[in-house]
Amino acid sequence: MKIVLFGAGGFIGSHLVEHLAARAEHDIVAVDVSDDKLAGIPPTAYRFHRADIRSDRDLVDELIAEADLVVDLVAYANPSIYVEAPLEVVDLNFVANLDIVERCVRHRRRLIQYSSCEVYGKFSGREGDRVDEEADLVYGPVSKHRWIYASAKQLLERIIHAHGLAGQLEFTILRPFNFIGPRLDYLVPPGTRGGPRVFAHFMSALLSGGPLQLVDGGTARRSFLHIADATAAFQAVLDDPDGSRNAIFNVGNPDNDTSIRGLAEVMLDVYWELTGEEPTSELVTVAAEDFYGAGYDDDGRLPPDITRLSALGWKPQRDLRTTVRETMAYYLGEHAAGRLSVPALPVR
Ligand code: UDP
């Protein structure tokens, strides 16, 4: 089967390409503006096109026409950009992705679309509740631009679903819940506000001795999934085209639910375990508005209900500490080898 992956050079995409290349069962075509994260994968195992889906539309069309399966991972996915550049988020995460959807419809190609757990929005519940794929989607006001990302992802999902209902598109939508692992995000100078996702912030702080900044005290909760478990989820979908046809799946590990303060504490502890050195970083609280700017809002996020995906035979294997340890070990190794460093100057 010929699989075309748009956004193959990102964190999730690079793991999918690595996995598919190692299995050597399919013809893999990887498309991205950068191939830095694909560096360790034998170049003979896949074909790479350096292209931007927003401008290289003829190439996109050609590749979709030739494909048996299209996987779309293209997105801005760091919350600080939702607040700083909301229109760019819509342009890439909705307009450009919609173009891919429409071409899949036109060429009658199967689409696996990566969406986000953020589509659930401010969903909250009681202790022990989990969010399933049929839950209501509840967002904050328009003035809180954080929700523009979720809105873009949600509308894309609705259009894909409607094409499916009309019998024009075979699709699977995946909703990732905070995947972490090697190659996740870039490191930042101590004290940086905004920028990458929380793991990279805390890792940067540990490597530089700077503070671990807890936004609004770190009471927000997230469920972290090891990228290898996430890749196995993709394979489960691939292996069961009937079971995954025109369906939406949560991809996450409800057992790895933690507060952000809890994540910081695990990372401090694992740093000590892996390096033998007591971390010098402190935990400090920072107001969300100071960290991200005025349009930020956080959600009462619940852990995922994974009944649907479990029915395809998938089960996450790695607990929170293992997930954190393996991700930190990668960053420590890259740092020790001089391939990754914490920049000296604050980003802003
Ligand atoms: N966060 C934090 N400190 C940081 C970066 C982020 O406390 O240095 C918080 C952020 O406010 C959110 C959570 O960590 O509550 C997860 O943020 P992330 O950027 O990883 O992604 P999200 O799950 O919000 O998409």
Side-chain angles (χ1 to χ4, degrees), residues 146 178 197-198 201 213 215 220 222 291-292 296 298 301:
R146 193 224 161 91
N178 292 76
R197 284 161 287 204
V198 65
H201 268 286
Q213 304 178 86
V215 172
R222 295 291 188 270
F291 193 84
Y292 288 108
Y296 186 74
D298 211 339
R301 205 174 283 183

Side-chain angles (χ1 to χ4, degrees), residues 77-80 82 116-118 146 149 177-178 180 184-185 192-202 211-222 224 260-261 263 284 286 288 291-292 296-299 301:
N78 288 0
S80 63
Y82 316 160
S116 170
C117 64
E118 193 142 323
R146 193 224 161 91
Y149 169 83
F177 280 68
N178 292 76
I180 64 171
L184 173 63
D185 266 335
T192 297
R193 298 183 167 187
R197 284 161 287 204
V198 65
F199 178 90
H201 268 286
F202 289 176
L212 276 71
Q213 304 178 86
L214 301 176
V215 172
D216 286 347
T219 54
R221 302 193 74 84
R222 295 291 188 270
F224 292 93
I260 297 302
R261 178 179 286 275
L263 173 72
V284 301
V286 46
F291 193 84
Y292 288 108
Y296 186 74
D297 198 9
D298 211 339
D299 44 3
R301 205 174 283 183

Side-chain angles (χ1 to χ4, degrees), residues 117 120 123-133 135 175 177-178 221-224 250-258 300-307:
C117 64
Y120 294 115
F123 197 83
S124 59
R126 284 187 298 276
E127 181 83 30
D129 279 356
R130 292 176 181 188
V131 68
D132 70 32
E133 292 85 348
R175 292 180 177 162
F177 280 68
N178 292 76
R221 302 193 74 84
R222 295 291 188 270
S223 302
F224 292 93
N250 285 341
V251 186
N253 189 341
D255 296 335
N256 288 354
D257 177 59
T258 174
R301 205 174 283 183
L302 290 174
D305 181 314
I306 52 171
T307 310

Side-chain angles (χ1 to χ4, degrees), residues 189 270 334:
V270 170
E334 292 297 291

